[in-house]
Amino acid sequence: MSDLKNTRCYQEIRHEVILNTVMRLLKHRFGEINQDLQVKINKLSVEDVENLGLALLDFTSVNDLVIWLNNQNIAEG
């Protein structure tokens, strides 16, 4: 099982599942998330998406999401 978890395919699927869950939570909490924010979120690593999932519990507005994303080191491009 450990070997499977280290495969690229497994990691990509894991990232996609976590990303989809966090996006659904954000949409439920704030409604539609604009495209620019979605692009930034999609660039996050698995660990950062997990951290976003925890952080969003404290968000009171989309502005909190913007601030959180601006504090992350997201590669531009």
Side-chain angles (χ1 to χ4, degrees), residues 15-45:
H15 184 259
E16 193 66 28
V17 168
I18 294 167
L19 183 63
N20 286 338
T21 301
V22 169
M23 291 303 295
R24 288 182 68 198
L25 291 169
L26 287 167
K27 183 178 178 181
H28 179 76
R29 184 130 190 197
F30 302 119
E32 288 298 322
I33 303 299
N34 76 47
Q35 188 67 30
D36 291 337
L37 294 177
Q38 288 182 33
V39 168
K40 286 185 176 185
I41 294 168
N42 286 331
K43 290 181 181 180
L44 295 173
S45 68

Side-chain angles (χ1 to χ4, degrees):
M1 187 69 165
S2 178
D3 289 339
L4 175 65
K5 289 182 179 181
N6 291 326
T7 65
R8 182 181 176 134
C9 182
Y10 177 88
Q11 293 300 320
E12 288 174 1
I13 292 169
R14 180 173 176 255
H15 184 259
E16 193 66 28
V17 168
I18 294 167
L19 183 63
N20 286 338
T21 301
V22 169
M23 291 303 295
R24 288 182 68 198
L25 291 169
L26 287 167
K27 183 178 178 181
H28 179 76
R29 184 130 190 197
F30 302 119
E32 288 298 322
I33 303 299
N34 76 47
Q35 188 67 30
D36 291 337
L37 294 177
Q38 288 182 33
V39 168
K40 286 185 176 185
I41 294 168
N42 286 331
K43 290 181 181 180
L44 295 173
S45 68
V46 172
E47 183 179 342
D48 288 337
V49 175
E50 290 174 335
N51 290 335
L52 173 57
L54 292 174
L56 76 85
L57 297 173
D58 296 325
F59 294 170
T60 57
S61 70
V62 174
N63 191 53
D64 292 330
L65 172 61
V66 171
I67 292 167
W68 190 91
L69 288 170
N70 287 337
N71 287 326
Q72 304 309 301
N73 292 322
I74 302 170
E76 295 297 324

